[in-house]
Amino acid sequence: MSTGPGADSAPVHKPTYDTRGRGETFSSLRIRNYRLFFTGAIVSNTGTWMARITQDWLVLSLTGSAAAVGITTALQFLPMLLFGLYGGVIADRYPKRRLLLASQAALALCGLTLAVLTLSGSVQVWHVYLIAFLLGMVTVVDNPARQSFVSEMVGPGQLRNAVSLNSANFQSARLIGPAVAGLMIATIGSGWSFLINGLSFLAPLTALLLMRTSELHKVERAPRGKGQLREGLRYVAGRPDLIWPIVLVGFIGTFGFNFPIWLTAFSEEVFHTGAGTYGFLNTLMAAGSLVGALLAARRGSTRLRMLVVAAGVFGVLEIAAALSPAFWLFALLLVPIGMIGLTVNISANSAVQMATDPVMRGRVMSLYMMVFAGGTPIGAPLLGWVTDTYGARVGFATGGLVSLAAAAVIGLVLARVGRLKLALGWHHGHPRVRFVPRERLATAA
């Protein structure tokens, strides 16, 4: 990112490499290694969504407590908050394909263990707590390794497209997994859902083994040494084009993405519709997220202006949904909320990856994931308390207000760093608001 004069709208990335695939939604799937990765991921992601729904249902069945479900979620995300940066150091130090083989095998083992405990009838809630924590520990390494391995498969020219398709992959599984899990829980029991999840990891393991290592883009690995964690933090702290998108996505992830709390509360307390409607609302959000991911895959570059504007729109939409007087309007707004929410995530993810030196990418992405996902144990209880105390509408609106405020403040900070100024004018008969270099305004005056 250019931060000096002439940084029009604070561009993050201006490609100088081959962009023949630009504008094609599925262009990165032409690459064999990534095609294998994508195919394996959609199988395991479907299993993961099945396990998430089944795990919550199992804990609720064992305890009768919604708080216990919250504890399970917190335990799964807590390792990322505590140890996420160390996972990035490991991802930068060792070959990422080998790390992923180990982490995916460990995730499979966790899933199969829970399946055996459940099918045998001996499962207790502390078993679920322990396995949730172990899953979180494995994710500490798996997340940064998986995120940064994408660039090794596709190279810089297709990185943004591949990141977008990864999100589309995950959201597609989100449309399928919960529905299959609900059917299995109702017909043959929770244990079989866990078993399918454990076996689903055979797909990414097979894909990793079938990859042609000679076709991977070579990336310099960080040598073993002291101070690598501090080095990564100093690297981000000295780069405004990295630190501010990470800060923004941290606020959005911590306060704006607490949809399980809000959708449950709206279904039960506001519209009095029940669990079936809760599933329907989740499906609407997933559909919007999938559309957002596919649209993002068509864009060939990322600008911080797009990220900041999308974050602001996301906050406004959440506030509008919170104030919706009718169920149909609330449900309709969930589609663009899902779409814009994914745009924020993908824009930040791809902007940070493309602006980062390859040797530092694991550490930077671990910080990104720690801030984005690690905020859940903090934001979820806080927004849950606001929702319980003041009502679902106030809780949802609070998340939107924080997101909108974060977008406004960080947008102003980035404009100041890039020596930009807000300019108001007209373009083809329509009002136009944009950031332009201060020197341009002085010249025009």
Side-chain angles (χ1 to χ4, degrees):
M1 169 185 174
S2 174
T3 56
D8 184 23
S9 303
V12 172
H13 186 64
K14 292 184 179 180
T16 58
Y17 40 76
D18 179 22
T19 55
R20 283 173 293 181
R22 182 174 178 173
E24 297 182 21
T25 305
F26 303 101
S27 58
S28 54
L29 288 176
R30 295 184 185 135
I31 301 169
R32 180 182 181 275
N33 283 341
Y34 181 72
R35 192 163 60 246
L36 287 168
F37 179 87
F38 184 91
T39 304
I42 198 167
V43 176
S44 65
N45 284 337
T46 302
T48 296
W49 275 109
M50 290 175 63
R52 284 187 181 184
I53 300 300
T54 307
Q55 174 183 272
D56 291 347
W57 182 263
L58 177 62
V59 171
L60 193 63
S61 301
L62 291 172
T63 65
S65 169
V69 177
I71 291 172
T72 308
T73 302
L75 285 172
Q76 193 159 338
F77 285 100
L78 186 62
M80 181 62 68
L81 180 63
L82 298 177
F83 311 113
L85 291 177
Y86 294 97
V89 173
I90 294 172
D92 280 337
R93 184 178 295 171
Y94 298 101
K96 296 174 182 60
R97 177 172 164 273
R98 294 180 185 175
L99 284 176
L100 288 172
L101 283 168
S103 63
Q104 294 290 300
L107 292 172
L109 182 61
C110 288
L112 293 173
T113 300
L114 190 55
V116 170
L117 289 170
T118 306
L119 289 172
S120 66
S122 57
V123 67
Q124 299 179 39
V125 70
W126 71 266
H127 294 147
V128 185
Y129 286 164
L130 177 60
I131 291 174
F133 184 77
L134 292 175
L135 284 169
M137 289 297 294
V138 176
T139 303
V140 165
V141 175
D142 184 79
N143 255 340
R146 184 161 34 83
Q147 296 271 352
S148 52
F149 186 57
V150 174
S151 65
E152 294 188 23
M153 288 184 288
V154 303
Q158 293 289 349
L159 180 58
R160 183 178 180 22
N161 180 264
V163 169
S164 301
L165 288 183
N166 283 351
S167 295
N169 187 318
F170 191 71
Q171 297 305 323
S172 298
R174 184 180 173 187
L175 290 172
I176 302 168
V180 176
L183 180 62
M184 295 190 71
I185 292 170
T187 54
I188 58 179
S190 301
W192 295 102
S193 183
F194 290 132
L195 180 62
I196 290 177
N197 173 51
L199 294 176
S200 72
F201 287 98
L202 290 173
L205 287 169
T206 302
L208 289 165
L209 290 171
L210 290 175
M211 286 183 183
R212 297 170 182 162
T213 56
S214 61
E215 295 178 6
L216 294 174
H217 293 254
K218 301 299 181 183
V219 174
E220 181 185 355
R221 293 201 300 272
R224 182 185 296 273
K226 294 182 179 180
Q228 291 180 328
L229 182 57
R230 291 192 298 272
E231 181 186 10
L233 292 174
R234 284 196 301 268
Y235 177 82
V236 173
R239 296 281 303 276
D241 54 338
L242 294 179
I243 191 170
W244 292 115
I246 291 175
V247 170
L248 178 56
V249 86
F251 275 101
I252 300 294
T254 301
F255 299 101
F257 271 71
N258 292 287
F259 296 110
I261 296 171
W262 297 324
L263 296 187
T264 302
F266 267 84
S267 297
E268 294 182 357
E269 299 172 13
V270 178
F271 299 121
H272 309 289
T273 51
T277 300
Y278 173 66
F280 171 67
L281 295 177
N282 272 284
T283 299
L284 288 176
M285 277 206 66
S289 300
L290 178 59
V291 172
L294 292 174
L295 289 175
R298 295 185 61 83
R299 289 193 291 269
S301 63
T302 300
R303 291 178 180 269
L304 287 183
R305 177 179 62 186
M306 180 193 302
L307 172 61
V308 171
V309 170
V313 172
F314 178 75
V316 170
L317 287 171
E318 288 199 328
I319 296 169
L323 301 177
S324 298
F327 171 78
W328 66 267
L329 181 58
F330 177 82
L332 189 63
L333 283 170
L334 291 179
V335 177
I337 286 175
M339 184 172 66
I340 301 299
L342 247 291
T343 299
V344 172
N345 190 8
I346 291 171
S347 296
N349 188 310
S350 56
V352 169
Q353 287 213 51
M354 288 189 286
T356 303
D357 293 336
V359 72
M360 302 292 296
R361 191 166 282 142
R363 277 165 285 183
V364 173
M365 292 313 297
S366 69
L367 177 63
Y368 176 92
M369 291 306 301
M370 185 190 78
V371 170
F372 181 64
T376 300
I378 299 171
L382 179 59
L383 269 298
W385 175 81
V386 172
T387 301
D388 287 340
T389 306
Y390 300 103
R393 294 189 185 278
V394 174
F396 204 174
T398 300
L401 283 170
V402 172
S403 300
L404 179 59
V409 171
I410 292 173
L412 291 174
V413 169
L414 287 169
R416 186 176 183 84
V417 169
R419 300 181 66 185
L420 305 174
K421 190 172 182 179
L422 188 67
L424 305 176
W426 291 83
H427 182 68
H428 297 307
H430 299 285
R432 186 179 186 183
V433 180
R434 58 181 181 142
F435 286 104
V436 299
R438 294 177 185 273
E439 287 79 357
R440 189 182 301 177
L441 286 180
T443 302

